[in-house]
Amino acid sequence: KKEVWQLLLHHTQDTQVHLIAASREIFKGVTHGLTNDNVRSVRTADSKLKEEREMWKRYRRKEILGMRRVDSLVAVEKNTWFYLGTNSISQILYGLKRMSEPILEHVDNNFNPLPAVFVREFRPIIQQADAFLLSIQTAIESGNYANSDEILVQGNALKSEISKLRHNLQDRIQKEDSNLKVAL
């Protein structure tokens, strides 16, 4: 049972590192497609997302079976951490799916491309999100969680920047005669 626990830890760590790295790649593909009006980039990212979601489901099933085979006291103690990690990956993949669907529709249907002012405002968010995911990936990969508080601060700063961007966009929509479809 101790060996199963060690193998499960290693497998879970590898799975999370792989999926966060894949999420970064998918995020870059989707945002590149949106900012450059490149349908191929968005489609490639969307198909990669579908593959990763299927792979994640298979890995999760194996990990759940592994949790059943570890010592019951260890399983009870570590169960919350295990499911928090699983739910986090699930939410990242779901968020990417929810993000890629309207972007693919927008770019694929040849709607007006994203105006340059929106792209300039959005690029720092893209870079911060990528850096944030890289920080998480590096922490999990190395097993060093000493800077987890810094990563949380980085995540909160990113949420704040996204909120500011959204408020600026709302103000722009209300003040100017802008293309509402593109703004949305």
Side-chain angles (χ1 to χ4, degrees):
K1 292 189 179 222
K2 286 183 181 181
E3 185 177 350
V4 170
W5 175 245
Q6 291 304 315
L7 291 171
L8 179 62
L9 279 176
H10 184 69
H11 185 271
T12 303
Q13 180 182 19
D14 287 348
T15 300
Q16 289 182 347
V17 167
H18 169 79
L19 287 170
I20 291 172
S23 297
R24 286 181 57 227
E25 184 180 325
I26 293 164
F27 179 74
K28 287 178 187 178
V30 169
T31 55
H32 177 268
L34 175 65
T35 57
N36 295 310
D37 204 37
N38 183 341
V39 71
R40 184 176 184 184
S41 179
V42 180
R43 282 191 180 156
T44 302
D46 195 51
S47 64
K48 174 129 176 97
L49 177 60
K50 288 175 184 167
E51 290 172 16
E52 292 299 332
R53 289 181 70 208
E54 288 303 315
M55 183 188 309
W56 176 75
K57 288 177 187 177
R58 288 192 306 269
Y59 284 165
R60 190 185 65 205
R61 285 186 199 115
K62 289 178 185 178
E63 291 167 355
I64 289 171
L65 289 174
M67 282 295 283
R68 291 181 182 161
R69 296 189 190 278
V70 300
D71 183 53
S72 58
L73 292 176
V74 171
V76 168
E77 179 185 346
K78 307 296 185 186
N79 201 22
T80 301
W81 296 341
F82 174 76
Y83 283 105
L84 281 173
T86 300
N87 289 342
S88 295
I89 294 295
S90 172
Q91 290 301 311
I92 290 171
L93 295 175
Y94 178 75
L96 286 169
K97 179 182 178 218
R98 296 286 297 155
M99 192 171 100
S100 71
E101 289 171 348
I103 290 173
L104 180 60
E105 181 182 344
H106 179 84
V107 175
D108 194 29
N109 290 331
N110 294 321
F111 291 135
N112 292 339
L114 208 58
V117 66
F118 290 1
V119 172
R120 278 193 307 276
E121 290 176 351
F122 190 47
R123 284 206 196 277
I125 301 288
I126 294 169
Q127 292 167 350
Q128 287 177 350
D130 183 53
F132 178 63
L133 288 172
L134 181 61
S135 298
I136 295 169
Q137 178 185 339
T138 304
I140 294 171
E141 198 167 28
S142 67
N144 181 4
Y145 303 103
N147 65 345
S148 60
D149 289 338
E150 295 168 13
I151 294 172
L152 287 172
V153 168
Q154 187 180 8
N156 287 332
L158 178 60
K159 285 192 291 187
S160 175
E161 288 296 317
I162 292 170
S163 181
K164 275 195 257 181
L165 181 66
R166 186 178 58 89
H167 288 295
N168 289 342
L169 183 59
Q170 286 174 336
D171 292 343
R172 186 180 297 133
I173 289 171
Q174 291 174 356
K175 290 179 183 175
E176 296 178 11
D177 185 29
S178 64
N179 186 342
L180 191 58
K181 264 198 181 291
V182 172
L184 292 176

